[in-house]
């Protein structure tokens, strides 16, 4: 059976997203800000996004940290310029003064403290999925700033969200790397933006072993290779070509290093 090809590119890390040769409609971006140190390119992600959410204490990060990206500008002017559309979560982390500030600016506040079975990221993804932007899921890409670093259980919770919403493109981002899911339902082409990412990369089977994975474009390509925890896992690999191809019988995480500017 010939699988449909899913194309991936980190053009959202570029100041201007170049026009795609793909005949399908361009991706529409949404941004979720989490309560972790934000990457230096967070303002760029903000500009690319059509819908911007803070997950609970992510609003503190937006309020406190975004002015630091613009040291020569008045902090209050920066805060007024970067207003989230929605703050959603169980509200156990966001400060009262921050919540009041954005509420007075017209931000929608959604308190979901009654739901303790899902993470704040999960709650925000659900909001985007159900929004007008999420109606065409094949063209939606959710960027998550502050998704990596800090507590390991939080990181694993964020990775679990990739699997819970495997039909939606979700990219977890930190200053050091990005992670997204390669669903086994497709073969994948990853177009490397060498000015901002690479060369270190990895393909990681989480949730179940991979019986057969085949790649091209890597320093150490896989050829119907089995991967599992306790055995071979393709970490510390290197991109060698501008296009990486991946096909596997299980879902894989793709991760690639981001370059320091």
């Amino acid at each position: 059976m010939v699988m449909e090809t899913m194309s991936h590119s980190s053009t959202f890390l570029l100041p201007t997203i170049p026009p795609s040769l793909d005949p399908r409609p361009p991706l529409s971006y949404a941004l979720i800000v989490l309560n972790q140190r934000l990457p230096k390119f967070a303002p760029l992600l903000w500009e690319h996004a059509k819908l911007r959410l803070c997950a609970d204490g992510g609003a503190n990060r937006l309020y406190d940290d975004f002015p630091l990206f613009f040291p020569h500008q008045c902090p209050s002017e920066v805060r007024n310029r970067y207003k989230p559309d929605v703050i959603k979560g169980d509200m156990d982390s966001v400060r009262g003064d921050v919540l009041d500030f954005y509420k007075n600016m017209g931000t929608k506040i959604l308190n979901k403290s009654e739901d303790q079975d899902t993470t704040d990221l999960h709650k925000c993804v659900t909001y985007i999925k159900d929004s007008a932007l999420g109606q065409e899921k094949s063209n939606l890409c959710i960027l998550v700033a502050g998704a990596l670093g800090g507590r390991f259980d939080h990181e694993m919770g964020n990775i679990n969200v990739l699997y819970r919403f495997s039909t939606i493109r979700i990219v977890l981002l930190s200053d050091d790397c990005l992670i997204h899911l390669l669903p086994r339902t497709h073969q994948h082409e990853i177009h490397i933006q060498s000015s901002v990412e690479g060369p270190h990369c990895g393909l990681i089977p989480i949730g179940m072993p991979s019986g057969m994975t085949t790649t091209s474009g890597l320093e150490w390509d896989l050829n119907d290779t089995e991967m599992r925890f306790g055995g071979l896992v393709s970490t510390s690999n290197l991109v060698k070509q501008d296009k990486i191809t991946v096909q596997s019988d299980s879902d894989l995480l793709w991760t690639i290093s981001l370059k320091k500017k």
Side-chain angles (χ1 to χ4, degrees):
M1 182 180 67
V2 177
M3 288 186 176
E4 183 179 353
T5 297
M6 190 173 184
S7 181
H8 309 267
S9 177
S10 301
T11 52
F12 51 80
L13 293 173
L14 303 176
T16 302
I17 297 177
S20 174
L21 299 178
D22 194 319
R24 288 169 290 192
L27 295 177
S28 295
Y29 293 101
L31 173 64
I32 300 174
V33 177
L34 299 188
N35 189 16
Q36 191 53 253
R37 185 170 69 89
L38 299 181
K40 58 187 177 299
F41 48 80
L44 178 63
L45 304 180
W46 186 281
E47 296 302 325
H48 290 325
K50 295 182 178 179
L51 182 62
R52 298 130 178 166
L53 287 79
C54 290
D56 195 357
N60 299 339
R61 297 285 177 168
L62 179 64
Y63 185 91
D64 294 337
D65 294 357
F66 257 56
L68 303 179
F69 295 129
F70 304 94
H72 302 298
Q73 298 183 30
C74 174
S76 62
E77 291 179 359
V78 175
R79 291 182 181 118
N80 287 331
R81 190 162 72 243
Y82 291 95
K83 177 189 78 69
D85 299 299
V86 177
I87 300 173
K88 184 176 181 180
D90 62 6
M91 302 304 172
D92 65 343
S93 301
V94 63
R95 301 197 308 269
D97 63 308
V98 172
L99 204 60
D100 290 342
F101 176 82
Y102 290 120
K103 183 177 181 180
N104 290 335
M105 290 184 66
T107 295
K108 181 184 293 187
I109 310 297
L110 298 175
N111 186 333
K112 295 297 178 179
S113 56
E114 76 282 358
D115 176 9
Q116 293 297 314
D117 292 330
T118 62
T119 65
D120 291 328
L121 174 58
H122 186 289
K123 294 175 175 66
C124 287
V125 171
T126 299
Y127 179 89
I128 296 169
K129 180 174 69 73
D130 295 338
S131 71
L133 192 66
Q135 294 311 299
E136 187 51 64
K137 295 180 181 59
S138 62
N139 300 330
L140 173 65
C141 181
I142 300 175
L143 309 174
V144 187
L148 305 169
R151 279 172 46 188
F152 180 67
D153 60 326
H154 283 169
E155 288 184 315
M156 292 304 294
N158 295 338
I159 289 171
N160 187 51
V161 167
L162 301 184
Y163 284 79
R164 294 285 295 269
F165 295 93
S166 62
T167 60
I168 300 176
R169 296 173 187 261
I170 304 174
V171 184
L172 307 181
L173 292 143
S174 73
D175 260 329
D176 300 309
C177 69
L178 64 79
I179 298 174
H180 61 78
L181 188 69
L182 303 179
R184 64 182 180 274
T185 53
H186 292 70
Q187 55 186 1
H188 300 273
E189 291 184 353
I190 304 167
H191 299 272
I192 304 300
Q193 303 299 318
S194 58
S195 64
V196 293
E197 63 183 349
H200 300 93
C201 65
L203 286 165
I204 304 169
I206 290 186
M208 63 180 294
S210 168
M212 292 188 299
T213 297
T214 299
T215 68
S216 68
L218 300 176
E219 175 74 20
W220 295 282
D221 273 320
L222 306 173
N223 185 14
D224 287 342
T225 305
E226 179 182 3
M227 291 194 296
R228 65 173 63 240
F229 278 89
L232 173 69
V233 176
S234 181
T235 58
S236 299
N237 213 323
L238 298 170
V239 296
K240 298 301 288 184
Q241 298 179 16
D242 291 337
K243 183 176 77 173
I244 310 301
T245 66
V246 181
Q247 186 166 347
S248 181
D249 63 352
S250 72
D251 297 339
L252 299 175
L253 292 179
W254 165 257
T255 183
I256 189 167
S257 59
L258 300 181
K259 293 184 175 178
K260 306 293 184 182
K261 292 282 187 172

